[in-house]
Amino acid sequence: MRYETIHNLQIPKIGFGTWTIGGRGSADPSLDEKSLLALRSALELGYTHFDTAENYAAGHSEELVGRAIREMGVPRESLFITSKVEPNHLQYEQVLRCCADSLRRLRMEDLDLYLIHWPTIGMNLPETFRALNQLVREGRVRHLGVSNFNLKLLKQAAALSETPLLTNQVPYSIPDREYVKKGVLEYCQQNDILLTAYTPVKPRFTQGNHALKELAQARGVTPAQISLAWLTTQPRVITIPMSFNPQHQKENLAAADLLLSAEEMEQLDRMIA
C-alpha cells in the first residue's frame, strides 16, 4: 500500500467508502449481514481508512462500521475513520450534537477526520467552523475537511480552519474531471490539501472504453484497477472505492501499488467519456 504523507500523517492512497452499507437514505436492516460481511472482508484485507457519514443509511452505516471493527478486534489506533455532518446541520450547536451522535453510533471516542458533507446556499461557514474548531480543541476530532466544495468555498474553509484543512472530497474519475477543470486539484496540490476522489470508477466508462481495456490487458490488471491507479499516481490524491465483493475489494486495494508511467498517464488523460 502506498500512502500520502501530509501534516505528520500517513493516509492510505485507497480507503473504503461506505455509501450503501446498511441502506441508502434510510436504514435497511435486511442489508445488515451483507454489509457486515463486506466490512469484515475489507478489514481482513487490510483496509484501514473507512469513510462514512451521518446520512448514510440515516446513521446506520456508522453503527455497522463500528460493530464490524469491534467484532474483528481491530485496534482503533490502527484505523483512520472519517465521517461527515450533513448540510442541514451546519449551525454551531447542531454540528456539536451531530458529531456526538456519530461518535455514539460508531462507539468511538474520536474521529480522525470530520467533513462538511455538502455546502448549502446561505450557510454561515464561520459559525460552522467555530463548532468544528471547537471539536478539534476538545479532542473529539483530529482533523477537519470539506466535501463537494468549489474553489471559492475551499479557500474560505481553509482560512477558517484553525488547523490545516486535510481534504476536499469530490467526485473525480477519468471521465469526470469537473472539479479539476475548475482549479480545485491544483489548489489542493499547492496548499497541502488532499483531494479525496469518490465514485472513482464509472462502470459504463470502464466497460466500454477499448483503449482503457487494452492498457489494462497489457498491465495484466482490470480496467477498474487502471482507473484507480490513474488517481493514486497523482500527488495529493487519494480515493475511497466501495464494493461488497471481496475479490473486487482485493483488486481495489492492490491498485494503490500500481504506479503508472508518464506515458500511460498521458494516454489516460486524453480519454474523454
Side-chain angles (χ1 to χ4, degrees):
M1 169 62 72
R2 290 190 299 115
Y3 295 83
E4 278 290 331
T5 301
I6 184 169
H7 307 311
N8 296 318
L9 289 172
Q10 276 199 323
I11 301 179
K13 275 286 196 175
I14 290 186
F16 192 82
T18 62
W19 169 242
T20 70
I21 288 286
R24 290 179 176 266
S26 59
D28 183 352
S30 70
L31 292 175
D32 279 11
E33 190 54 38
K34 178 182 179 182
S35 297
L36 286 168
L37 285 171
L39 290 167
R40 292 174 191 138
S41 171
L43 288 162
E44 286 176 351
L45 287 167
Y47 283 88
T48 57
H49 177 197
F50 288 82
D51 178 278
T52 186
E54 66 169 340
N55 70 346
Y56 290 178
H60 191 41
S61 168
E62 293 174 321
E63 293 172 341
L64 293 174
V65 168
R67 177 180 165 184
I69 290 168
R70 291 191 303 275
E71 290 178 350
M72 293 293 291
V74 179
R76 169 67 182 90
E77 60 270 18
S78 70
L79 300 173
F80 191 90
I81 306 298
T82 299
S83 194
K84 312 177 194 74
V85 58
E86 60 179 290
N88 57 339
H89 292 158
L90 297 183
Q91 294 181 6
Y92 180 82
E93 293 294 342
Q94 292 175 325
V95 173
L96 300 181
R97 184 180 69 250
C98 288
C99 182
D101 288 344
S102 288
L103 290 171
R104 173 181 52 78
R105 288 188 290 266
L106 286 159
R107 289 174 60 179
M108 295 179 179
E109 294 183 358
D110 56 34
L111 288 167
D112 294 288
L113 178 60
Y114 199 41
L115 310 181
I116 299 173
H117 203 158
W118 287 88
T120 184
I121 295 174
M123 66 179 175
N124 186 334
L125 204 56
E127 180 182 8
T128 303
F129 266 93
R130 186 165 67 91
L132 293 172
N133 290 328
Q134 179 69 21
L135 290 170
V136 174
R137 287 195 296 270
E138 293 176 356
R140 286 186 280 174
V141 170
R142 295 172 188 246
H143 303 279
L144 300 176
V146 295
S147 184
N148 302 294
F149 271 41
N150 62 25
L151 183 57
K152 180 181 178 181
L153 288 174
L154 179 59
K155 289 179 178 179
Q156 291 175 6
L160 289 166
S161 182
E162 292 177 356
T163 51
L165 201 69
L166 193 63
T167 193
N168 186 15
Q169 185 177 126
V170 300
Y172 184 33
S173 63
I174 294 174
D176 183 358
R177 311 182 199 185
E178 191 62 31
Y179 281 85
V180 173
K181 291 176 184 175
K182 294 182 178 179
V184 170
L185 177 58
E186 182 181 13
Y187 178 82
C188 287
Q189 291 171 332
Q190 292 176 348
N191 290 274
D192 266 350
I193 299 172
L194 295 176
L195 186 145
T196 303
Y198 70 84
T199 57
V201 178
K202 300 289 190 180
R204 186 177 298 178
F205 176 79
T206 56
Q207 293 165 11
N209 190 290
H210 296 296
L212 181 61
K213 288 182 178 179
E214 288 177 359
L215 180 55
Q217 187 175 14
R219 276 291 200 131
V221 297
T222 68
Q225 286 178 300
I226 292 291
S227 296
L228 293 172
W230 177 78
L231 290 166
T232 59
T233 297
Q234 299 175 55
R236 291 298 184 244
V237 176
I238 66 172
T239 186
I240 46 171
M242 185 275 171
S243 177
F244 286 98
N245 184 312
Q247 181 59 33
H248 291 165
Q249 291 177 357
K250 184 177 181 180
E251 291 169 355
N252 290 347
L253 197 63
D257 293 319
L258 181 60
L259 191 62
L260 300 181
S261 68
E263 292 76 17
E264 289 169 326
M265 289 296 289
E266 185 178 349
Q267 182 182 351
L268 292 165
D269 286 342
R270 291 196 301 265
M271 292 182 183
I272 57 174

